[in-house]
Amino acid sequence: MTNINATTGTAPKVSNEQIIRRLLTYMAPFNGIMFASLVGRVIKFSGQACVLGLAAYGVGDYVNAFIAAGGFEGGAEVQWDVIWKWVRYIAIAGTVVGITSYLENYTGHYVAFRILAAFRDRFYYAMLPLAPARTSKLQSGDAVSRVMTDCERIEPFYAHTIAPAIAAIFVPLIILSWCWTVHPTIVYFLVPFYVANTALLPWIVSMLGGDGAEYRNKLGEVNGFVSDSIQGVRDTVAFGYEGRRAKELFTIGATMQEGQEKLYSADAWQRALAEVFITVGILAAAWVGADLALAGEIEPLTELPAVIAVSIVGFYLSVGLANNYTDFRVAMIAARRLFAMMDQEPAVLDNSKTAVVGDIEPYIQIKNLTFEYDADDADWSRNKRVFNGLTLDIQPGKNIALVGPSGTGKSTVINLLLRQWDSESGSIKIGNHDLGSFPLADLQRYFAVVSQRSFIFNDTIRENIRMGKYEASDAEILAAATEAGLAEFIAASPEGLDTECGERGSKISGGQRQRVAIARAVLKNAPVVLFDEATSSLDVETERSVIKALKKLSEGRTTLTIAHRLSTIVDSDEILVMIDGQISEKGSHVSLMEQDGWYAKMFRMQQDEVDTL
């Protein structure tokens, strides 16, 4: 397994070449459009050089024509034929520049944004097999940073790196080829400056500013801290912890700022050095050109100005590549972070590709189960086995309750049944079929889950319930909502099923959130229903009404109920008491009370608490 430090801290050491090759695979469907964009960019900058060269050459040609006609002393008239000749040439070149500029920008960003959309989808689907065993190790803010910020940081690679890199090679070659026709000596002087701008300058900047890794890693940490702080602001204020929390944020932000300052200080040095390189290059072109003109080897009024003008475009283009180098470095770091998470090995492998045929009896058998969370990750391992030989049977159609002290492994049973984690040894079977023999997509159909943490999406009641059955009609959704006890609330809401739930269900009450979760389970109509502390966060009155909906959902199904309040499971067919990962007591409510063990003591304690209210 990839250590979590690879995903929340420093990304694995992978060369830029490997990252680039991988990023280019996402561009494959758009190679034709990208090629058009590259050609357009080369033509655009060549056209810009052509416009300046034509303008400079045209002025000299006009002066020559004017002098040949007698000049001012000879009463020469304006040489309109020369003017219009060069105006036509410049207009044609300028039109080409305008058209190719539009095409280059449009097609370049068209490709970049569609690649990013595909990349986000690929990232999301790469995360699914990691959840929740691997993703639980990420702060939500860091995960959001990866999907949003890091994906956006990759955009310059496609829109502002590939095309500039190629144009910075081909356009100077075109310019140098033309300069060769004027005089080879000019090329000999220009080549070193083009090479320095294109290759040496980015290298100097990389030496000055590093690769920005520290900044990008700290940014994810800061996002996670801020997200955590906002979600916990109520408790922060209640305990007067605002000042301490703000101080911690400042400390973390300061470490990020150091990396940011280093990165952008290098960028500032780059731009300053670029101006120096350009100035020296232009002076060199002017000096060698003037020397050749004085020697009579090139035309001083036409070729010399054109050479200087054209070389300026080449200088700025080659320096432009260096100016994009900061974005390129950041894109590489962002890609590393994203790929580091995408490349993690899932905690659970979907090895079965063949569906289990025939009727599957909703009978659950757990035998000699051993399990430890994150045993292969020293940074996250709890160094304690949750189960060491757990065995239990859940007969079809029975309502089984699982109770016990906190941290004893009750919810872990549900995690393993859903194959969100896999056991180290032992077996879990459904209807005499091992869990591993089911494709994960098929296995999910056998279970419906209602937990205290059932997630309510920022969407309508209809869409939240529809999770149980994507293709369900409104009539089916309303029937499920009615069975879950939501009919009265929906009828009283002006928008009905279109009522917005808000972020994490913030616009509806806790009881309504649980009923939405129950309605999902009703709609799914799975043969096995798992209740994980489904009413623990509700007040007593709301709990009673929700329990009615839970009991109705349980009818005709195999159910496993994990409960904290023992009064909610007294009518279960069998109650299992789990202590330290083992079943220490089992039986009906009556028989367990007679045994006078943990269950009986805890039940009486809870009753005493109720009586004192």
Side-chain angles (χ1 to χ4, degrees):
M1 167 192 149
T2 302
N3 190 285
I4 194 63
N5 288 335
T7 60
T8 58
T10 303
K13 295 297 182 183
V14 181
S15 70
N16 280 348
E17 182 182 355
Q18 291 173 291
I19 296 293
I20 290 171
R21 283 204 304 264
R22 188 166 179 180
L23 288 173
L24 289 177
T25 61
Y26 291 87
M27 198 175 72
F30 308 98
N31 280 343
I33 301 176
M34 181 58 82
F35 179 76
S37 179
L38 295 176
V39 172
R41 187 178 183 87
V42 171
I43 295 175
K44 178 184 77 172
F45 282 105
S46 298
Q48 289 178 348
C50 187
V51 168
L52 289 178
L54 288 171
Y57 200 100
V59 170
D61 187 41
Y62 178 84
V63 172
N64 285 335
F66 189 77
I67 293 174
F72 290 107
E73 295 179 357
E77 297 181 354
V78 176
Q79 307 296 302
W80 287 108
D81 57 332
V82 177
I83 291 175
W84 288 117
K85 177 182 72 173
W86 290 105
V87 166
R88 284 197 301 271
Y89 291 158
I90 294 171
I92 292 171
T95 302
V96 171
V97 169
I99 294 173
T100 54
S101 178
Y102 170 80
L103 292 176
E104 181 261 331
N105 277 283
Y106 179 80
T107 54
H109 287 89
Y110 176 93
V111 170
F113 292 137
R114 275 155 182 77
I115 290 175
L116 288 184
F119 197 96
R120 291 188 191 97
D121 287 344
R122 188 80 63 88
F123 181 83
Y124 175 75
Y125 282 108
M127 285 186 65
L128 292 180
L130 302 178
R134 300 288 187 254
T135 56
S136 61
K137 299 175 183 179
L138 285 172
Q139 288 179 284
S140 61
D142 189 37
V144 170
S145 173
R146 289 174 189 242
V147 178
M148 303 301 294
T149 308
D150 284 348
C151 281
E152 292 301 321
R153 288 293 185 177
I154 291 175
E155 186 266 342
F157 172 78
Y158 298 104
H160 306 297
T161 299
I162 297 175
I166 294 176
I169 295 172
F170 281 95
V171 175
L173 286 176
I174 293 172
I175 291 173
L176 291 172
S177 298
W178 177 78
C179 289
W180 183 273
T181 65
V182 177
H183 200 286
T185 304
I186 298 173
V187 177
Y188 299 145
F189 273 79
L190 290 180
V191 164
F193 290 98
Y194 282 144
V195 172
N197 289 339
T198 305
L200 180 61
L201 184 57
W203 178 81
I204 293 175
V205 173
S206 67
M207 294 298 100
L208 289 172
D211 57 6
E214 180 182 355
Y215 163 60
R216 298 303 306 162
N217 291 328
K218 284 297 181 181
L219 179 60
E221 186 178 336
V222 169
N223 286 342
F225 189 90
V226 171
S227 175
D228 203 31
S229 299
I230 292 175
Q231 293 179 18
V233 67
R234 181 177 180 180
D235 292 303
T236 300
V237 173
F239 284 89
Y241 203 69
E242 308 96 315
R244 178 65 180 176
R245 195 75 182 174
K247 185 177 180 180
E248 291 177 9
L249 176 60
F250 178 83
T251 302
I252 298 174
T255 60
M256 181 189 73
Q257 187 175 354
E258 292 174 4
Q260 189 178 37
E261 289 176 352
K262 182 179 180 181
L263 185 64
Y264 289 102
S265 173
D267 184 52
W269 271 106
Q270 166 193 314
R271 296 178 188 278
L273 289 173
E275 293 300 326
V276 173
F277 280 32
I278 290 173
T279 301
V280 175
I282 293 173
L283 289 175
W287 177 73
V288 69
D291 193 47
L292 292 171
L294 291 173
E297 298 188 40
I298 66 173
E299 170 59 45
L301 291 180
T302 54
E303 292 178 328
L304 176 57
V307 165
I308 296 174
V310 169
S311 63
I312 290 174
V313 175
F315 284 131
Y316 275 101
L317 183 60
S318 58
V319 167
L321 178 61
N323 289 339
N324 289 324
Y325 189 62
T326 297
D327 287 337
F328 169 76
R329 295 200 314 273
V330 172
M332 292 298 100
I333 297 302
R336 275 195 183 88
R337 284 164 47 87
L338 290 168
F339 289 144
M341 182 158 182
M342 294 168 68
D343 292 343
Q344 285 192 90
E345 182 181 348
V348 175
L349 299 177
D350 192 3
N351 293 322
S352 179
K353 303 301 179 184
T354 305
V356 177
V357 297
D359 294 332
I360 308 299
E361 189 178 24
Y363 164 54
I364 299 174
Q365 182 183 47
I366 299 175
K367 188 174 182 180
N368 295 325
L369 201 67
T370 60
F371 176 72
E372 177 184 344
Y373 282 106
D374 301 310
D376 56 349
D377 190 337
D379 292 335
W380 286 79
S381 175
R382 305 175 191 180
N383 297 315
K384 180 182 178 182
R385 281 185 170 175
V386 181
F387 303 130
N388 193 8
L390 175 67
T391 297
L392 63 87
D393 288 341
I394 301 177
Q395 297 295 322
K398 296 296 183 180
N399 184 1
I400 306 300
L402 185 61
V403 301
S406 298
T408 196
K410 302 183 298 296
S411 294
T412 301
V413 173
I414 291 181
N415 292 339
L416 295 176
L417 283 173
L418 297 173
R419 284 203 73 198
Q420 295 177 346
W421 279 265
D422 272 345
S423 62
E424 298 170 31
S425 62
S427 65
I428 304 179
K429 294 183 177 181
I430 299 180
N432 294 321
H433 294 276
D434 191 88
L435 286 189
S437 64
F438 293 87
L440 286 176
D442 289 350
L443 181 65
Q444 293 166 358
R445 299 190 185 101
Y446 290 95
F447 295 101
V449 183
V450 181
S451 73
Q452 62 176 324
R453 298 179 300 273
S454 295
F455 195 89
I456 304 300
F457 291 88
N458 189 9
D459 209 329
T460 62
I461 288 180
R462 171 191 286 104
E463 295 307 317
N464 270 284
I465 296 176
R466 196 192 297 274
M467 287 185 65
K469 182 182 176 183
Y470 180 75
E471 67 278 8
S473 64
D474 277 4
E476 291 175 299
I477 293 172
L478 190 57
T482 301
E483 189 170 334
L486 272 173
E488 185 176 341
F489 170 74
I490 292 174
S493 300
E495 289 80 19
L497 287 174
D498 291 320
T499 300
E500 292 287 339
C501 296
E503 186 175 357
R504 295 177 180 269
S506 59
K507 292 184 179 180
I508 58 179
S509 69
Q512 290 159 357
R513 288 196 292 269
Q514 287 303 88
R515 290 185 179 92
V516 169
I518 294 169
R520 287 176 183 166
V522 171
L523 193 61
K524 189 172 185 179
N525 195 29
V528 180
V529 182
L530 307 173
F531 300 122
D532 187 3
E533 304 278 9
T535 63
S536 63
S537 60
L538 305 177
D539 61 77
V540 175
E541 183 178 354
T542 304
E543 179 186 58
R544 288 173 181 170
S545 63
V546 170
I547 286 176
K548 292 180 181 178
L550 293 177
K551 288 182 177 179
K552 193 168 184 180
L553 172 60
S554 301
E555 293 175 0
R557 296 181 173 90
T558 302
T559 61
L560 175 63
T561 303
I562 295 174
H564 171 70
R565 295 174 186 168
L566 303 184
S567 59
T568 63
I569 47 91
V570 294
D571 56 353
S572 299
D573 295 319
E574 186 176 39
I575 300 171
L576 307 176
V577 178
M578 178 178 284
I579 297 179
D580 293 332
Q582 296 290 341
I583 304 301
S584 61
E585 303 173 32
K586 63 180 178 179
S588 65
H589 168 71
V590 175
S591 66
L592 288 175
M593 292 299 293
E594 292 174 351
Q595 293 178 32
D596 199 28
W598 181 93
Y599 178 86
K601 294 177 182 178
M602 187 58 63
F603 186 83
R604 286 194 290 267
M605 183 183 298
Q606 291 183 1
Q607 290 299 106
D608 290 341
E609 290 175 354
V610 173
D611 292 340
T612 58
L613 293 178

mmCIF file of all heavy atoms in Angstrom, residues 411 414-415 418 448-456 510 513-515 517-518 520-521 529-538 546 550 562:
data_model
loop_
_atom_site.group_PDB
_atom_site.id
_atom_site.type_symbol
_atom_site.label_atom_id
_atom_site.label_comp_id
_atom_site.label_asym_id
_atom_site.label_seq_id
_atom_site.Cartn_x
_atom_site.Cartn_y
_atom_site.Cartn_z
ATOM 1 N N SER A 411 -19.765 -1.666 14.685
ATOM 2 C CA SER A 411 -19.846 -1.066 13.349
ATOM 3 C C SER A 411 -18.879 -1.718 12.372
ATOM 4 O O SER A 411 -19.115 -1.719 11.154
ATOM 5 C CB SER A 411 -19.549 0.442 13.425
ATOM 6 O OG SER A 411 -20.564 1.120 14.150
ATOM 7 N N ILE A 414 -20.513 -4.302 10.221
ATOM 8 C CA ILE A 414 -21.196 -3.746 9.045
ATOM 9 C C ILE A 414 -20.178 -3.373 7.970
ATOM 10 O O ILE A 414 -20.387 -3.644 6.780
ATOM 11 C CB ILE A 414 -22.046 -2.530 9.450
ATOM 12 C CG1 ILE A 414 -23.235 -2.995 10.293
ATOM 13 C CG2 ILE A 414 -22.515 -1.758 8.226
ATOM 14 C CD1 ILE A 414 -24.165 -1.895 10.744
ATOM 15 N N ASN A 415 -19.059 -2.774 8.366
ATOM 16 C CA ASN A 415 -18.021 -2.421 7.389
ATOM 17 C C ASN A 415 -17.542 -3.644 6.621
ATOM 18 O O ASN A 415 -17.308 -3.584 5.406
ATOM 19 C CB ASN A 415 -16.834 -1.766 8.097
ATOM 20 C CG ASN A 415 -17.174 -0.403 8.663
ATOM 21 O OD1 ASN A 415 -18.127 0.240 8.233
ATOM 22 N ND2 ASN A 415 -16.405 0.036 9.643
ATOM 23 N N LEU A 418 -20.245 -5.059 4.175
ATOM 24 C CA LEU A 418 -20.335 -4.254 2.956
ATOM 25 C C LEU A 418 -19.053 -4.302 2.132
ATOM 26 O O LEU A 418 -18.967 -3.677 1.080
ATOM 27 C CB LEU A 418 -20.645 -2.803 3.314
ATOM 28 C CG LEU A 418 -21.983 -2.546 4.020
ATOM 29 C CD1 LEU A 418 -22.080 -1.106 4.475
ATOM 30 C CD2 LEU A 418 -23.146 -2.899 3.110
ATOM 31 N N ALA A 448 -29.138 -2.821 2.380
ATOM 32 C CA ALA A 448 -29.553 -1.432 2.522
ATOM 33 C C ALA A 448 -29.073 -0.990 3.904
ATOM 34 O O ALA A 448 -29.108 -1.772 4.855
ATOM 35 C CB ALA A 448 -31.062 -1.288 2.406
ATOM 36 N N VAL A 449 -28.606 0.236 3.993
ATOM 37 C CA VAL A 449 -27.998 0.713 5.232
ATOM 38 C C VAL A 449 -28.677 1.995 5.684
ATOM 39 O O VAL A 449 -28.902 2.914 4.892
ATOM 40 C CB VAL A 449 -26.486 0.983 5.042
ATOM 41 C CG1 VAL A 449 -25.859 1.399 6.372
ATOM 42 C CG2 VAL A 449 -25.786 -0.240 4.474
ATOM 43 N N VAL A 450 -28.988 2.049 6.976
ATOM 44 C CA VAL A 450 -29.460 3.271 7.614
ATOM 45 C C VAL A 450 -28.578 3.480 8.833
ATOM 46 O O VAL A 450 -28.560 2.642 9.733
ATOM 47 C CB VAL A 450 -30.941 3.183 8.040
ATOM 48 C CG1 VAL A 450 -31.372 4.503 8.673
ATOM 49 C CG2 VAL A 450 -31.827 2.836 6.861
ATOM 50 N N SER A 451 -27.836 4.578 8.833
ATOM 51 C CA SER A 451 -26.918 4.817 9.945
ATOM 52 C C SER A 451 -27.154 6.193 10.526
ATOM 53 O O SER A 451 -27.901 7.016 9.980
ATOM 54 C CB SER A 451 -25.462 4.695 9.473
ATOM 55 O OG SER A 451 -25.095 5.815 8.693
ATOM 56 N N GLN A 452 -26.485 6.458 11.640
ATOM 57 C CA GLN A 452 -26.598 7.784 12.250
ATOM 58 C C GLN A 452 -25.895 8.837 11.407
ATOM 59 O O GLN A 452 -26.110 10.030 11.590
ATOM 60 C CB GLN A 452 -25.997 7.753 13.649
ATOM 61 C CG GLN A 452 -24.518 7.404 13.685
ATOM 62 C CD GLN A 452 -23.933 7.465 15.078
ATOM 63 O OE1 GLN A 452 -24.319 8.328 15.856
ATOM 64 N NE2 GLN A 452 -23.034 6.556 15.403
ATOM 65 N N ARG A 453 -25.043 8.387 10.479
ATOM 66 C CA ARG A 453 -24.292 9.307 9.629
ATOM 67 C C ARG A 453 -24.739 9.228 8.171
ATOM 68 O O ARG A 453 -23.965 9.542 7.268
ATOM 69 C CB ARG A 453 -22.798 9.015 9.719
ATOM 70 C CG ARG A 453 -22.207 9.192 11.100
ATOM 71 C CD ARG A 453 -20.722 8.875 11.130
ATOM 72 N NE ARG A 453 -20.470 7.506 10.730
ATOM 73 C CZ ARG A 453 -20.481 6.475 11.560
ATOM 74 N NH1 ARG A 453 -20.771 6.664 12.838
ATOM 75 N NH2 ARG A 453 -20.222 5.247 11.128
ATOM 76 N N SER A 454 -25.959 8.803 7.936
ATOM 77 C CA SER A 454 -26.455 8.751 6.561
ATOM 78 C C SER A 454 -26.335 10.133 5.928
ATOM 79 O O SER A 454 -26.862 11.118 6.458
ATOM 80 C CB SER A 454 -27.915 8.286 6.532
ATOM 81 O OG SER A 454 -28.026 6.948 6.987
ATOM 82 N N PHE A 455 -25.659 10.191 4.805
ATOM 83 C CA PHE A 455 -25.337 11.488 4.207
ATOM 84 C C PHE A 455 -26.519 11.992 3.388
ATOM 85 O O PHE A 455 -27.074 11.274 2.558
ATOM 86 C CB PHE A 455 -24.104 11.374 3.317
ATOM 87 C CG PHE A 455 -23.499 12.694 2.959
ATOM 88 C CD1 PHE A 455 -22.535 13.272 3.768
ATOM 89 C CD2 PHE A 455 -23.913 13.382 1.828
ATOM 90 C CE1 PHE A 455 -21.977 14.509 3.450
ATOM 91 C CE2 PHE A 455 -23.368 14.618 1.498
ATOM 92 C CZ PHE A 455 -22.394 15.177 2.318
ATOM 93 N N ILE A 456 -26.873 13.234 3.639
ATOM 94 C CA ILE A 456 -27.926 13.901 2.869
ATOM 95 C C ILE A 456 -27.251 14.915 1.954
ATOM 96 O O ILE A 456 -26.559 15.830 2.416
ATOM 97 C CB ILE A 456 -28.947 14.595 3.789
ATOM 98 C CG1 ILE A 456 -29.534 13.602 4.781
ATOM 99 C CG2 ILE A 456 -30.042 15.233 2.949
ATOM 100 C CD1 ILE A 456 -30.272 12.430 4.153
ATOM 101 N N GLY A 510 -33.380 16.642 12.068
ATOM 102 C CA GLY A 510 -32.685 15.371 12.227
ATOM 103 C C GLY A 510 -33.595 14.181 11.974
ATOM 104 O O GLY A 510 -33.191 13.206 11.332
ATOM 105 N N ARG A 513 -34.155 13.859 8.266
ATOM 106 C CA ARG A 513 -32.969 13.303 7.605
ATOM 107 C C ARG A 513 -32.950 11.778 7.731
ATOM 108 O O ARG A 513 -32.640 11.074 6.770
ATOM 109 C CB ARG A 513 -31.693 13.906 8.208
ATOM 110 C CG ARG A 513 -31.448 15.340 7.828
ATOM 111 C CD ARG A 513 -30.016 15.759 8.127
ATOM 112 N NE ARG A 513 -29.756 15.813 9.561
ATOM 113 C CZ ARG A 513 -29.918 16.907 10.311
ATOM 114 N NH1 ARG A 513 -30.385 18.023 9.752
ATOM 115 N NH2 ARG A 513 -29.627 16.901 11.592
ATOM 116 N N GLN A 514 -33.271 11.289 8.918
ATOM 117 C CA GLN A 514 -33.280 9.842 9.110
ATOM 118 C C GLN A 514 -34.391 9.183 8.296
ATOM 119 O O GLN A 514 -34.217 8.084 7.758
ATOM 120 C CB GLN A 514 -33.448 9.497 10.588
ATOM 121 C CG GLN A 514 -32.208 9.772 11.432
ATOM 122 C CD GLN A 514 -30.985 9.041 10.911
ATOM 123 O OE1 GLN A 514 -30.259 9.546 10.065
ATOM 124 N NE2 GLN A 514 -30.762 7.829 11.392
ATOM 125 N N ARG A 515 -35.522 9.862 8.180
ATOM 126 C CA ARG A 515 -36.611 9.302 7.387
ATOM 127 C C ARG A 515 -36.248 9.267 5.896
ATOM 128 O O ARG A 515 -36.653 8.352 5.178
ATOM 129 C CB ARG A 515 -37.888 10.116 7.608
ATOM 130 C CG ARG A 515 -38.485 9.930 9.004
ATOM 131 C CD ARG A 515 -39.820 10.648 9.140
ATOM 132 N NE ARG A 515 -40.402 10.452 10.451
ATOM 133 C CZ ARG A 515 -40.228 11.266 11.492
ATOM 134 N NH1 ARG A 515 -39.478 12.349 11.331
ATOM 135 N NH2 ARG A 515 -40.783 11.016 12.642
ATOM 136 N N ALA A 517 -33.246 8.751 4.830
ATOM 137 C CA ALA A 517 -32.356 7.590 4.749
ATOM 138 C C ALA A 517 -33.154 6.292 4.766
ATOM 139 O O ALA A 517 -32.828 5.337 4.046
ATOM 140 C CB ALA A 517 -31.366 7.616 5.907
ATOM 141 N N ILE A 518 -34.212 6.262 5.570
ATOM 142 C CA ILE A 518 -35.067 5.065 5.616
ATOM 143 C C ILE A 518 -35.790 4.888 4.283
ATOM 144 O O ILE A 518 -35.909 3.769 3.765
ATOM 145 C CB ILE A 518 -36.078 5.174 6.778
ATOM 146 C CG1 ILE A 518 -35.340 5.145 8.123
ATOM 147 C CG2 ILE A 518 -37.097 4.041 6.712
ATOM 148 C CD1 ILE A 518 -36.216 5.503 9.309
ATOM 149 N N ARG A 520 -34.757 5.749 1.383
ATOM 150 C CA ARG A 520 -33.786 5.170 0.447
ATOM 151 C C ARG A 520 -33.763 3.652 0.581
ATOM 152 O O ARG A 520 -33.763 2.923 -0.418
ATOM 153 C CB ARG A 520 -32.385 5.703 0.741
ATOM 154 C CG ARG A 520 -32.094 7.105 0.362
ATOM 155 C CD ARG A 520 -30.686 7.451 0.841
ATOM 156 N NE ARG A 520 -30.333 8.831 0.574
ATOM 157 C CZ ARG A 520 -29.292 9.449 1.122
ATOM 158 N NH1 ARG A 520 -28.510 8.783 1.977
ATOM 159 N NH2 ARG A 520 -29.020 10.697 0.829
ATOM 160 N N ALA A 521 -33.674 3.200 1.832
ATOM 161 C CA ALA A 521 -33.601 1.761 2.072
ATOM 162 C C ALA A 521 -34.882 1.060 1.624
ATOM 163 O O ALA A 521 -34.838 -0.041 1.067
ATOM 164 C CB ALA A 521 -33.339 1.496 3.551
ATOM 165 N N VAL A 529 -31.111 -5.606 5.703
ATOM 166 C CA VAL A 529 -31.063 -4.208 6.110
ATOM 167 C C VAL A 529 -30.171 -4.092 7.336
ATOM 168 O O VAL A 529 -30.295 -4.860 8.291
ATOM 169 C CB VAL A 529 -32.473 -3.659 6.425
ATOM 170 C CG1 VAL A 529 -32.384 -2.185 6.799
ATOM 171 C CG2 VAL A 529 -33.401 -3.837 5.235
ATOM 172 N N LEU A 530 -29.267 -3.110 7.297
ATOM 173 C CA LEU A 530 -28.323 -2.879 8.383
ATOM 174 C C LEU A 530 -28.626 -1.531 9.020
ATOM 175 O O LEU A 530 -28.607 -0.500 8.341
ATOM 176 C CB LEU A 530 -26.887 -2.904 7.853
ATOM 177 C CG LEU A 530 -26.493 -4.148 7.032
ATOM 178 C CD1 LEU A 530 -25.107 -3.961 6.423
ATOM 179 C CD2 LEU A 530 -26.536 -5.406 7.897
ATOM 180 N N PHE A 531 -28.912 -1.538 10.319
ATOM 181 C CA PHE A 531 -29.161 -0.309 11.059
ATOM 182 C C PHE A 531 -27.972 -0.057 11.980
ATOM 183 O O PHE A 531 -27.711 -0.851 12.884
ATOM 184 C CB PHE A 531 -30.441 -0.412 11.893
ATOM 185 C CG PHE A 531 -31.685 -0.665 11.093
ATOM 186 C CD1 PHE A 531 -32.470 -1.777 11.330
ATOM 187 C CD2 PHE A 531 -32.081 0.224 10.115
ATOM 188 C CE1 PHE A 531 -33.625 -2.007 10.614
ATOM 189 C CE2 PHE A 531 -33.233 0.006 9.379
ATOM 190 C CZ PHE A 531 -34.011 -1.125 9.622
ATOM 191 N N ASP A 532 -27.261 1.030 11.753
ATOM 192 C CA ASP A 532 -26.086 1.351 12.563
ATOM 193 C C ASP A 532 -26.368 2.615 13.368
ATOM 194 O O ASP A 532 -26.205 3.729 12.886
ATOM 195 C CB ASP A 532 -24.865 1.553 11.661
ATOM 196 C CG ASP A 532 -23.576 1.721 12.454
ATOM 197 O OD1 ASP A 532 -23.630 1.631 13.702
ATOM 198 O OD2 ASP A 532 -22.525 1.952 11.840
ATOM 199 N N GLU A 533 -26.810 2.405 14.613
ATOM 200 C CA GLU A 533 -27.137 3.533 15.496
ATOM 201 C C GLU A 533 -28.068 4.509 14.801
ATOM 202 O O GLU A 533 -27.871 5.733 14.840
ATOM 203 C CB GLU A 533 -25.851 4.249 15.940
ATOM 204 C CG GLU A 533 -24.837 3.371 16.624
ATOM 205 C CD GLU A 533 -25.138 3.147 18.102
ATOM 206 O OE1 GLU A 533 -26.240 3.545 18.543
ATOM 207 O OE2 GLU A 533 -24.303 2.568 18.798
ATOM 208 N N ALA A 534 -29.095 3.988 14.149
ATOM 209 C CA ALA A 534 -29.938 4.800 13.274
ATOM 210 C C ALA A 534 -30.730 5.864 14.013
ATOM 211 O O ALA A 534 -31.204 6.827 13.396
ATOM 212 C CB ALA A 534 -30.891 3.898 12.490
ATOM 213 N N THR A 535 -30.909 5.724 15.328
ATOM 214 C CA THR A 535 -31.711 6.704 16.072
ATOM 215 C C THR A 535 -30.928 7.361 17.204
ATOM 216 O O THR A 535 -31.513 8.076 18.012
ATOM 217 C CB THR A 535 -32.962 6.022 16.675
ATOM 218 O OG1 THR A 535 -32.542 5.019 17.611
ATOM 219 C CG2 THR A 535 -33.794 5.375 15.584
ATOM 220 N N SER A 536 -29.628 7.130 17.253
ATOM 221 C CA SER A 536 -28.857 7.587 18.420
ATOM 222 C C SER A 536 -28.801 9.101 18.551
ATOM 223 O O SER A 536 -28.632 9.626 19.652
ATOM 224 C CB SER A 536 -27.432 7.030 18.348
ATOM 225 O OG SER A 536 -26.763 7.539 17.209
ATOM 226 N N SER A 537 -28.938 9.841 17.446
ATOM 227 C CA SER A 537 -28.814 11.302 17.503
ATOM 228 C C SER A 537 -30.167 12.007 17.638
ATOM 229 O O SER A 537 -30.230 13.228 17.544
ATOM 230 C CB SER A 537 -28.106 11.811 16.239
ATOM 231 O OG SER A 537 -28.841 11.451 15.079
ATOM 232 N N LEU A 538 -31.232 11.235 17.861
ATOM 233 C CA LEU A 538 -32.572 11.813 17.908
ATOM 234 C C LEU A 538 -33.072 11.919 19.344
ATOM 235 O O LEU A 538 -32.656 11.165 20.229
ATOM 236 C CB LEU A 538 -33.546 10.954 17.094
ATOM 237 C CG LEU A 538 -33.164 10.692 15.629
ATOM 238 C CD1 LEU A 538 -34.191 9.771 14.991
ATOM 239 C CD2 LEU A 538 -33.060 12.012 14.857
ATOM 240 N N VAL A 546 -39.474 7.400 14.457
ATOM 241 C CA VAL A 546 -38.554 6.829 13.476
ATOM 242 C C VAL A 546 -38.480 5.320 13.645
ATOM 243 O O VAL A 546 -38.386 4.577 12.649
ATOM 244 C CB VAL A 546 -37.151 7.468 13.608
ATOM 245 C CG1 VAL A 546 -36.138 6.715 12.763
ATOM 246 C CG2 VAL A 546 -37.202 8.928 13.194
ATOM 247 N N LEU A 550 -38.667 2.202 11.039
ATOM 248 C CA LEU A 550 -37.635 1.166 10.951
ATOM 249 C C LEU A 550 -38.247 -0.229 11.063
ATOM 250 O O LEU A 550 -37.856 -1.157 10.347
ATOM 251 C CB LEU A 550 -36.588 1.367 12.057
ATOM 252 C CG LEU A 550 -35.723 2.626 11.959
ATOM 253 C CD1 LEU A 550 -34.798 2.721 13.161
ATOM 254 C CD2 LEU A 550 -34.909 2.629 10.681
ATOM 255 N N ILE A 562 -27.590 -2.301 15.136
ATOM 256 C CA ILE A 562 -26.636 -1.865 16.148
ATOM 257 C C ILE A 562 -27.274 -0.703 16.883
ATOM 258 O O ILE A 562 -27.695 0.276 16.265
ATOM 259 C CB ILE A 562 -25.299 -1.441 15.513
ATOM 260 C CG1 ILE A 562 -24.631 -2.651 14.856
ATOM 261 C CG2 ILE A 562 -24.373 -0.819 16.545
ATOM 262 C CD1 ILE A 562 -23.385 -2.313 14.079
#
